[in-house]
Amino acid sequence: MQKYCIAPSILSADFACLGKEVSAVIEAGADLIHFDVMDNHYVPNLTFGPMVCAALKPYATVPVDVHLMVEPVDDLIRSFSQAGADIITFHPEASRHVDRSLGLIKEAGCQAGLVLNPATPVYVLENVLDKLDMVLLMSVNPGFGGQSFIPQTLVKIRQVRDLLDMYESESGRRIALEVDGGIKTDNIAQVAAAGADTFVAGSAIFGKPDYKAVIDEMRAELAKAAV
């Protein structure tokens, strides 16, 4: 069975006790901690800076997956790599030189990825696949948690999966395919069947009283998709 990763987004966690929330969701079975960074410029919301990432790093016994929804990106790439990020993804629209920004992430020793909004075309990936460790597809428009999954994303997941599989067959290197937005127990298997292997879930996990029960249910659904 292919390895699936569940990445709870702390955007939906209790901000008054983030350290405890991170520990609790990891204990419940999280594979990654998804860290949404918004600047009230690229997206209409304001969330966490590198100091919060650094403060939470001691609680994170799994990789910290930093999603930069900021413009420009290069200075914050440096700041978050120093704050303990393990994976850094950003939106190509927010960088004047996408290849250079990806290079900064790799030079900092982090895994690098691009994020495609619902209307961002897939072809932007083609010339930088050699620098990518992850592709993140937004299945909602970025900026706020709790939105509903956009069904057309399933078509896009299949397109990107085909591109990444072709690259893997030529290079021998696998690139993770992450999906973020409206992921719940009732649609995670469908998203996996389309080709995703990493799943960001915010309110579906943190909005429930038993994190482990939700993550276990998601894994049960993913097991069905793998059959």
Side-chain angles (χ1 to χ4, degrees):
M1 175 180 171
Q2 144 185 18
K3 168 68 172 172
Y4 291 119
C5 290
I6 294 176
S9 168
I10 63 168
L11 184 62
S12 298
D14 183 348
F15 288 5
C17 48
L18 278 179
K20 291 181 180 178
E21 289 277 68
V22 168
S23 295
V25 82
I26 292 172
E27 187 176 347
D31 300 294
L32 304 171
I33 292 297
H34 193 77
F35 196 92
D36 287 302
V37 181
M38 306 182 191
D39 64 353
N40 199 34
H41 178 64
Y42 180 72
V43 292
N45 199 357
L46 186 65
T47 59
F48 315 106
M51 291 177 67
V52 177
C53 183
L56 290 178
K57 182 65 176 177
Y59 296 89
T61 54
V62 299
V64 176
D65 174 23
V66 172
H67 172 196
L68 295 179
M69 289 168 269
V70 303
E71 185 181 7
V73 300
D74 289 359
D75 285 346
L76 283 178
I77 285 171
R78 296 183 182 94
S79 296
F80 275 95
S81 65
Q82 293 167 2
D86 297 289
I87 306 164
I88 299 177
T89 60
F90 66 92
H91 295 254
E93 298 92 343
S95 171
R96 292 196 176 191
H97 304 285
V98 171
D99 184 85
R100 177 184 296 160
S101 297
L102 289 168
L104 288 174
I105 298 172
K106 303 292 278 187
E107 288 165 15
C110 300
Q111 293 188 45
L114 282 183
V115 189
L116 304 189
N117 287 330
T120 304
V122 172
Y123 68 75
V124 301
L125 302 171
E126 293 176 358
N127 294 315
V128 292
L129 287 169
D130 61 313
K131 284 191 169 69
L132 297 180
D133 300 290
M134 175 179 283
V135 174
L136 170 53
L137 296 184
M138 296 302 298
S139 42
V140 298
N141 287 293
F144 298 94
Q147 300 183 68
S148 297
F149 184 89
I150 297 173
Q152 181 65 19
T153 308
L154 293 171
V155 176
K156 196 171 191 178
I157 294 169
R158 295 185 190 101
Q159 292 173 341
V160 174
R161 179 78 273 156
D162 288 345
L163 176 65
L164 299 187
D165 285 349
M166 184 181 302
Y167 174 75
E168 183 179 5
S169 69
E170 295 170 353
S171 68
R173 200 173 65 85
R174 185 167 183 82
I175 298 172
L177 178 50
E178 185 174 43
V179 178
D180 182 1
I183 299 294
K184 302 181 185 302
T185 54
D186 61 3
N187 66 6
I188 194 169
Q190 188 180 22
V191 175
D197 52 52
T198 306
F199 309 88
V200 178
S203 56
I205 295 174
F206 284 110
K208 302 297 187 294
D210 188 340
Y211 301 163
K212 186 177 188 303
V214 179
I215 292 175
D216 286 350
E217 188 177 350
M218 287 181 169
R219 293 207 189 280
E221 290 297 314
L222 289 171
K224 296 176 187 177
V227 172

